[in-house]
Amino acid sequence: DGSDDNEEGSAVENEENAKGTDKGKKRATPRTRRAHARGRDRHGDEDDEDDEGGMRRAGPRRHRSRRRGRAAGNEASDSDMEHTKARKNQANQESKENDEEDEDEKGGKSGKGKNEKKGDKKSDKKGKKEKANKKKKDKKKSGSGSDSESEEEPITEEELAKLKEEVEEKKKLIATLRNKPWKMKKKLSVLKYGLISIMNPLLILILFNTFCASLDKITSKDQLICLSITSHVFTGHFGSSVASYFIFLRWMYGINMILFGLTFGLVMVPEALMGKPYGSLPRKTVPRAEEATAMNFATLWDFSGFAQYSVLFYGYYNNQRTIGWLKFRMPLSYFLVGVGSIGYSFMIVTRTMAKNANDDGGGDDTSFNFSWKMFTSWDYLIGNPETADNKFASITTSFKEAIVEEQESRKEENIHLTRFLRVLANFLALCTLAGSGYLIFFVVRRSQQFALEGLENYGWWERNEVNTVMSLLGMFCPTLFDVISSLENYHPRIALRWQLGRIFALFLGNLYTFIIALMDEINLKARYFLPFTMFDRLLGNIEALQSATDISLEEEKIVKYNMTIWEASLYNGTIPENSTAPPIQVDPADVPRGPCWETMVGQEFVRLTVSDMMTTYITILIGDFLRAVFVRFFNYCWCWDLEYGFPSYSEFDISGNVLGLIFNQGMIWMGSFYAPCLPAINVFRLHTSMYLQCWAVMCCNVPQERVFKASRSNNFYMAMLLFILFLSTLPAVYTIVSIPPSFDCGPFSGKTRMYEVISETLEHDFPSWFGKVFGYASNPGLILPFILLMVLSLYYLNATSKSYKEANLELKKKLQSVRIENYCF
Amino acid sequence: GSAQGSGAMGGSASLIPRDLLGEYQELTFLSKQEILLAYKRFSELLPKEERENACSTRVPKSQILTLPELRANPFQQRICHVFSTSETEDDSMSFEDFLDMLSVFSDSATSDIKSYYAFRIFDFDNDGILDRKDLEQLVNCLTGQGEGSRLSSEEMEQLIQNILEESDIDKDGTINLAEFQHVVSRSPDF
């Protein structure tokens, strides 16, 4: 890949050097600079005009060079100039002839064709113009060619206009050549005659543009060049639906990079550089009791010990208002980064949804069902015979299905049958959901009973019953949904959405049932977070937060009381009111600590992410790779055909992977306020799993049975992502607004609420009138009308968008009828 | 979609003449990097001794069909035929034909030019219109070569009937280029 870029770069450079005209230009520049200085004064303002400036400059320069008849380089362009006029007319004629030929070829219906071509011409011309303008702007910035254009001698206006016109025609011609369905030879011959006349300025622009484009490719933001190449490879093998999963993954990676940048740059680095160092404060030191094991690998893997008392977690941060010589406001920064990353995520998800909605156009049009199946169903990205066979099969099936459905839709009664079947399927799905919810409820109650009687009396099953049941449900219910969906007879894409929606509902339903059943138990065991699958923990932690903080408030009082007693013991029993005794130096490691629930929560999320990462790797290695190895090598000595029967190679399950990705991101959003290191860990996780899954897909997976092309709109996934984002930010918002922060750790210690850092900043750092204004603005009397106004504007925008859609449809219909009219006459 | 290289980065092959590269880039929807890649792939199809003047040599159809992107494509024969400018009608392709093909299949090609070539590819008897025989052959191509995957004659009849109902505006029993472009331009998947 690198060699390609180098080659192209050198090719471009060689091109630039090899051209006689260019060489001439390069040589000409120093000499003409003085001349340009003179000319510039006279025509300075003209030079700066953006629009036709390039062409204008070209004209006079050519003119000047013709008059002066300079060195070798310019002579070359000179001779070209002489050929120009003659050839220009010839080329014009030729192209006109060619156009006419072509239209006659098409036979009869040229009217439409011409209109379309004109449209293309216009848009291409615009595109070219914009390109040319952009190039010119770049050139101006780089300053390389800008000096070489300015006139020295005055030229008449009409000559200028004529030259401009000729150049425009040439541009038009070249812009449309791509769109002409001619063979390369023909295009080349037309181009040669047309191109020479404007070779000088246009070629420079073209070369510069391609050079810039090649630079772009070399230094592109997409560092994963490997991935962009391989996406072509496995698109060939799997069709474009798998590629769409990886594109989604890459997009998530981008978001996580930004979040990482925010938390790392604005929270972790300032504290590490400018905050008080490790060991200076009790909250920053490992307690004496834990010191012995603080450096063990096991402790570090569990994110306690030294990892806990570091910038990675909430508890380390000091509540000083400003730190360091820069007067960096740490608590404010922490708060704003937390809120800002959530805001940024909302914004970017909504923006992507809006963009996808635009691409969608007017929505689904079913007017050409059969024709589209016929003409557009083949996926030209497929390069693998195996996939091609699957595709053939799926096309045949879809034809047959469409024919059958068409026949059945002509018989009236079968619509009702389909509807009935679909209602039945939904009913069955609801039953499954209800059943699994009840099962979880039942199991949780049972485990509470076991806990009351003491867990030692029971074996492994009873201890891990809840875990296992939830995992088993998570494994088997989706298959059940798959079977149910065969009743419904939908298009594969729609069936996939129903499937995803049902799985989503299953997981959420399980979680909520679990939480409700567990509320009492959590209150008893606030500190002991039972290890479940990630989905359970996702919402389990919300409740745990609440109960944990209730407990910690109690504890707080107890600890504070203990600390005063401890201090008193240091003074040997006496606490004089106005003591002037020197403060006794105590090692921070020995000071008794208060509870720090935020760090605990942060640790939980980090452990969850890490264990999830491990699970993914192990599943891929064992479930995909080892299975593939086993099937490949043991197939010879096994009774039945391993490749076609059980277990065979594993398929790449797109929906499962996408759901996993979305739920993981939800965890990150939830936990990054309490553990600033979480985005960093997630970036690492996404990076490695991207490559690992890429490799696994190519090496161990087989294409899916039903291959269908994923259309551009991923709005379904985006909608799920948005929902999870909303759900994940609720806990953080709740804690910011209603729960008092721990008194002994974190940047907000000592305040009654976390958001008070804002009011504190307003008091100290802004002029007093600002605070007053803010106070007035946050008055409920002002906020409520504002909310009302937003609701009204939402309604208005919704109404206008509906009317636009309707107008759009009307126009489409009109277009159709106009086309038909044109056609018939 | 684009029929780009599947990562087969060979060693340093000789480059295209500089002036030609610029012209190709102007005349096709491919970037210079893509053209160079295409050149590499094309020259790999030739035997070693002919690689030096790959620009002017013609590659026989059998060689072109070994490309992975065409190997599995049911329209491979038609594609070669449509893009070939061979005077001897043997469907061999020169480098310029190859570039033409890649340009039409690239992502940045306009829908008009794609639909024009698609029409020509689907027009099996080269008569400028898609009549029943063409449509039948098209369906047979799409359903593959296996015995069980072909449609029965009633299904075929029904299918072609439906298609003509949908797309044949002037009701002459055939689909011409304009009707084809009309249908295909409305499709979200094209």
Side-chain angles (χ1 to χ4, degrees):
Chain A
D1 198 30
S3 65
D4 256 345
D5 284 339
N6 286 335
E7 263 181 79
E8 201 214 329
S10 61
V12 170
E13 284 166 18
N14 288 338
E15 238 176 308
E16 286 194 60
N17 289 331
K19 290 256 170 220
T21 50
D22 303 351
K23 234 188 245 165
K25 239 171 248 85
K26 286 202 171 150
R27 259 186 271 144
T29 358
R31 256 181 281 172
T32 54
R33 232 179 253 273
R34 265 172 278 136
H36 297 162
R38 265 182 280 150
R40 205 175 272 274
D41 298 326
R42 246 179 281 166
H43 301 275
D45 42 346
E46 282 179 356
D47 272 348
D48 291 2
E49 267 175 39
D50 219 0
D51 199 44
E52 301 290 300
M55 293 312 120
R56 284 240 226 122
R57 282 188 221 146
R61 198 181 79 244
R62 245 185 290 144
H63 193 84
R64 183 188 62 239
S65 64
R66 201 190 303 155
R67 288 212 185 164
R68 289 174 156 239
R70 275 199 192 182
N74 284 342
E75 266 171 16
S77 58
D78 224 352
S79 57
D80 283 338
M81 288 316 128
E82 272 153 26
H83 290 294
T84 310
K85 289 229 156 120
R87 285 234 181 125
K88 241 186 289 185
N89 298 329
Q90 208 181 356
N92 263 338
Q93 255 189 338
E94 265 220 38
S95 75
K96 282 206 183 113
E97 281 169 40
N98 285 335
D99 263 339
E100 283 163 5
E101 260 179 52
D102 243 15
E103 280 166 5
D104 290 334
E105 266 176 35
K106 293 229 186 97
K109 322 284 191 248
S110 57
K112 231 194 308 180
K114 218 193 245 168
N115 287 336
E116 289 169 6
K117 270 210 200 110
K118 277 215 182 113
D120 272 341
K121 271 191 200 173
K122 286 209 184 102
S123 59
D124 273 352
K125 194 166 76 147
K126 248 189 235 157
K128 267 250 156 202
K129 248 197 190 162
E130 284 164 3
K131 245 205 295 188
N133 283 339
K134 212 175 52 159
K135 286 176 229 162
K136 267 197 318 73
K137 286 201 185 111
D138 290 342
K139 271 187 69 181
K140 267 192 182 164
K141 286 188 199 146
S142 65
S144 55
S146 55
D147 284 337
S148 58
E149 277 109 17
S150 101
E151 47 275 78
E152 200 187 322
E153 280 146 294
I155 47 172
T156 61
E157 276 305 307
E158 39 177 275
E159 272 183 52
L160 193 62
K162 227 194 329 181
L163 284 168
K164 213 171 50 163
E165 192 192 309
E166 283 164 4
V167 166
E168 274 306 304
E169 271 183 48
K170 284 310 133 232
K171 264 177 74 177
K172 240 193 279 181
L173 174 65
I174 289 172
T176 60
L177 274 179
R178 269 187 199 176
N179 270 330
K180 295 238 189 303
W182 299 338
K183 293 292 178 229
M184 183 68 80
K185 241 187 192 167
K186 203 169 172 185
K187 286 196 266 189
L188 270 175
S189 63
V190 173
L191 183 67
K192 277 201 168 64
Y193 286 128
L195 186 55
I196 291 172
S197 61
I198 43 170
M199 196 131 65
N200 296 352
L202 200 58
L203 197 58
I204 290 292
L205 293 175
I206 294 167
L207 291 170
F208 194 77
N209 187 41
T210 49
F211 184 63
C212 286
S214 69
L215 270 185
D216 255 329
K217 286 210 168 89
I218 295 171
T219 62
S220 80
K221 269 190 284 187
D222 184 11
Q223 312 157 340
L224 311 165
I225 297 177
C226 150
L227 191 62
S228 70
I229 297 293
T230 49
S231 72
H232 284 292
V233 183
F234 56 63
T235 307
H237 279 263
F238 289 90
S240 33
S241 45
V242 170
S244 68
Y245 165 74
F246 281 95
I247 292 174
F248 186 61
L249 181 61
R250 211 164 56 174
W251 178 79
M252 291 283 246
Y253 181 75
I255 295 186
N256 278 287
M257 277 300 279
I258 307 258
L259 293 182
F260 166 67
L262 280 176
T263 50
F264 189 71
L266 291 176
V267 171
M268 288 169 78
V269 165
E271 180 69 23
L273 290 181
M274 298 190 285
K276 293 214 174 101
Y278 172 84
S280 53
L281 288 177
R283 67 180 63 172
K284 300 195 180 206
T285 327
V286 178
R288 189 69 66 188
E290 294 173 25
E291 241 177 49
T293 55
M295 271 307 268
N296 292 352
F297 181 73
T299 332
L300 285 180
W301 182 260
D302 202 32
F303 285 93
S304 19
F306 276 118
Q308 180 177 351
Y309 295 95
S310 68
V311 283
L312 299 180
F313 290 101
Y314 175 96
Y316 184 82
Y317 294 81
N318 196 12
N319 66 339
Q320 251 180 307
R321 211 175 69 84
T322 63
I323 55 176
W325 55 274
L326 268 179
K327 300 270 185 258
F328 190 81
R329 284 148 179 76
M330 193 68 227
L332 182 69
S333 154
Y334 196 99
F335 185 81
L336 287 181
V337 162
V339 171
S341 36
I342 292 174
Y344 167 76
S345 309
F346 265 115
M347 195 194 72
I348 202 159
V349 172
T350 333
R351 200 177 73 159
T352 317
M353 282 183 81
K355 231 195 305 183
N356 284 342
N358 276 344
D359 289 341
D360 228 353
D364 281 317
D365 208 344
T366 52
S367 45
F368 293 112
N369 202 11
F370 280 98
S371 310
W372 287 344
K373 273 206 205 329
M374 176 86 121
F375 298 130
T376 64
S377 58
W378 181 256
D379 185 356
Y380 285 87
L381 293 171
I382 292 179
N384 182 357
E386 212 174 288
T387 320
D389 286 336
N390 281 343
K391 186 67 174 169
F392 287 138
S394 82
I395 290 178
T396 317
T397 328
S398 100
F399 273 145
K400 292 190 178 170
E401 281 171 4
I403 294 175
V404 166
E405 200 174 309
E406 166 86 17
Q407 283 173 340
E408 280 184 9
S409 73
R410 301 208 175 154
K411 308 179 203 170
E412 279 299 316
E413 53 269 11
N414 279 359
I415 293 183
H416 299 300
L417 183 64
T418 330
R419 281 207 197 129
F420 171 71
L421 282 177
R422 286 178 187 171
V423 167
L424 180 66
N426 280 321
F427 176 70
L428 286 176
L430 274 174
C431 284
T432 322
L433 288 172
S436 80
Y438 178 70
L439 187 60
I440 290 176
F441 193 81
F442 174 70
V443 163
V444 167
R445 284 285 182 221
R446 237 163 64 113
S447 86
Q448 279 176 330
Q449 241 182 328
F450 294 153
L452 283 176
E453 296 167 21
L455 278 173
E456 316 74 51
N457 303 342
Y458 295 98
W460 178 88
W461 173 257
E462 280 82 5
R463 256 187 272 226
N464 293 304
E465 197 176 24
V466 189
N467 289 3
T468 350
V469 165
M470 288 190 81
S471 313
L472 286 174
L473 278 176
M475 269 194 335
F476 287 120
C477 284
T479 338
L480 194 58
F481 286 143
D482 215 0
V483 169
I484 292 177
S485 73
S486 62
L487 271 178
E488 287 179 329
N489 211 6
Y490 278 127
H491 184 279
R493 206 172 297 149
I494 302 182
L496 177 69
R497 289 187 182 184
W498 276 99
Q499 176 80 347
L500 281 178
R502 287 191 184 125
I503 295 179
F504 195 70
L506 174 76
F507 283 130
L508 277 184
N510 287 356
L511 278 168
Y512 272 114
T513 333
F514 176 72
I515 299 305
I516 293 172
L518 259 191
M519 289 247 251
D520 312 321
E521 190 165 355
I522 285 182
N523 273 330
L524 287 174
K525 294 191 191 170
R527 293 285 188 79
Y528 173 54
F529 296 91
L530 308 158
F532 295 125
T533 62
M534 60 173 169
F535 308 109
D536 328 330
R537 283 179 148 186
L538 193 70
L539 288 187
N541 279 327
I542 303 177
E543 293 301 325
L545 278 179
Q546 169 71 63
S547 37
T549 56
D550 288 341
I551 301 293
S552 72
L553 282 172
E554 301 279 317
E555 264 197 50
E556 206 176 298
K557 298 188 191 131
I558 298 175
V559 171
K560 274 189 175 147
Y561 182 67
N562 282 341
M563 280 176 88
T564 47
I565 294 188
W566 178 77
E567 269 183 27
S569 73
L570 288 180
Y571 288 99
N572 289 333
T574 58
I575 311 172
E577 285 284 318
N578 299 311
S579 159
T580 50
I584 299 178
Q585 296 288 35
V586 188
D587 191 315
D590 294 321
V591 176
R593 309 293 178 78
C596 193
W597 59 268
E598 292 99 342
T599 308
M600 270 182 342
V601 170
Q603 276 177 314
E604 274 308 304
F605 278 112
V606 172
R607 285 183 197 137
L608 195 54
T609 313
V610 169
S611 75
D612 193 56
M613 190 162 69
M614 291 296 118
T615 318
T616 319
Y617 293 163
I618 292 177
T619 320
I620 291 182
L621 281 176
I622 296 184
D624 289 352
F625 181 62
L626 281 187
R627 180 166 149 183
V629 164
F630 176 73
V631 169
R632 171 63 69 88
F633 291 116
F634 281 84
N635 204 12
Y636 302 116
C637 49
W638 207 261
C639 353
W640 70 87
D641 191 349
L642 286 173
E643 284 187 6
Y644 289 104
F646 178 81
S648 82
Y649 300 105
S650 52
E651 280 183 3
F652 184 73
D653 177 18
I654 300 178
S655 47
N657 276 302
V658 168
L659 268 183
L661 202 59
I662 292 179
F663 273 107
N664 290 339
Q665 192 58 39
M667 278 193 311
I668 302 299
W669 277 321
M670 219 193 257
S672 71
F673 189 73
Y674 307 107
C677 64
L678 211 48
I681 295 179
N682 200 35
V683 161
F684 174 73
R685 192 257 292 270
L686 281 180
H687 202 91
T688 48
S689 78
M690 234 195 293
Y691 285 108
L692 191 64
Q693 275 183 320
C694 211
W695 166 77
V697 159
M698 284 311 301
C699 144
C700 325
N701 285 355
V702 289
Q704 271 178 319
E705 281 291 317
R706 293 164 111 189
V707 176
F708 62 91
K709 204 154 77 167
S711 60
R712 289 292 173 86
S713 68
N714 284 323
N715 262 0
F716 183 66
Y717 296 149
M718 289 296 153
M720 281 211 312
L721 194 62
L722 194 64
F723 184 60
I724 290 278
L725 173 59
F726 179 68
L727 220 55
S728 319
T729 55
L730 283 180
V733 170
Y734 178 68
T735 52
I736 289 175
V737 170
S738 350
I739 298 184
S742 302
F743 72 97
D744 198 22
C745 66
F748 307 116
S749 58
K751 302 195 173 45
T752 37
R753 292 280 185 274
M754 287 186 194
Y755 59 76
E756 281 177 12
V757 69
I758 298 277
S759 42
E760 199 191 359
T761 314
L762 282 176
E763 259 175 57
H764 288 112
D765 298 323
F766 285 96
S768 54
W769 56 264
F770 208 87
K772 264 194 229 159
V773 169
F774 211 75
Y776 288 141
S778 54
N779 188 355
L782 206 61
I783 298 267
L784 284 176
F786 183 68
I787 292 180
L788 191 65
L789 190 67
M790 283 210 302
V791 169
L792 285 175
S793 58
L794 247 169
Y795 174 73
Y796 169 72
L797 286 172
N798 195 23
T800 23
S801 99
K802 259 196 230 156
S803 72
Y804 283 148
K805 265 194 193 150
E806 278 175 25
N808 208 5
L809 280 172
E810 284 294 322
L811 281 173
K812 269 190 187 171
K813 281 191 207 152
K814 234 188 193 174
L815 244 162
Q816 194 175 4
S817 61
V818 162
R819 268 189 172 177
I820 294 178
E821 277 173 25
N822 273 352
Y823 184 90
C824 295
F825 294 122
Chain B
S2 127
Q4 264 193 39
S6 60
M9 313 290 166
S12 51
S14 57
L15 299 171
I16 309 172
R18 318 294 189 259
D19 52 345
L20 266 187
L21 184 65
E23 286 171 357
Y24 287 150
Q25 198 258 332
E26 265 301 288
L27 295 173
T28 64
F29 291 99
L30 306 170
S31 68
K32 284 217 175 116
Q33 194 183 26
E34 289 167 348
I35 295 177
L36 287 172
L37 250 176
Y39 185 81
K40 266 212 188 89
R41 296 292 300 284
F42 188 77
S43 52
E44 277 160 17
L45 292 173
L46 292 168
K48 274 219 160 82
E49 14 347 311
E50 297 183 30
R51 278 190 197 170
E52 282 312 305
N53 31 333
C55 274
S56 39
T57 337
R58 304 198 80 94
V59 171
K61 179 160 78 168
S62 50
Q63 280 290 92
I64 296 275
L65 294 183
T66 60
L67 284 173
E69 290 80 6
L70 286 181
R71 206 168 38 202
N73 196 315
F75 301 113
Q76 46 184 225
Q77 307 281 346
R78 288 297 305 162
I79 292 176
C80 281
H81 180 82
V82 164
F83 286 102
S84 156
T85 54
S86 156
E87 275 128 39
T88 59
E89 299 291 330
D90 63 351
D91 290 347
S92 62
M93 290 177 75
S94 69
F95 179 59
E96 291 180 353
D97 298 336
F98 190 63
L99 276 187
D100 271 332
M101 180 176 79
L102 291 181
S103 163
V104 170
F105 277 107
S106 87
D107 284 330
S108 27
T110 59
S111 147
D112 271 349
I113 202 165
K114 280 190 198 258
S115 56
Y116 173 81
Y117 275 104
F119 182 79
R120 286 193 54 197
I121 289 174
F122 293 152
D123 185 9
F124 285 85
D125 49 13
N126 292 319
D127 58 357
I129 47 171
L130 299 181
D131 55 9
R132 268 178 183 261
K133 289 198 304 306
D134 289 326
L135 292 176
E136 266 183 41
Q137 252 182 304
L138 182 57
V139 173
N140 284 331
C141 269
L142 280 175
T143 55
Q145 305 303 320
E147 266 316 303
S149 59
R150 296 224 160 184
L151 297 183
S152 69
S153 54
E154 303 92 48
E155 287 169 338
M156 182 74 78
E157 205 37 56
Q158 177 77 39
L159 184 60
I160 294 186
Q161 193 57 41
N162 286 333
I163 291 173
L164 287 176
E165 262 173 35
E166 284 174 357
S167 323
D168 188 10
I169 302 178
D170 58 357
K171 305 291 177 220
D172 62 354
T174 65
I175 302 179
N176 62 16
L177 176 63
E179 288 162 345
F180 181 76
Q181 282 181 328
H182 179 233
V183 169
V184 152
S185 64
R186 318 284 302 287
S187 156
D189 284 337
F190 187 60

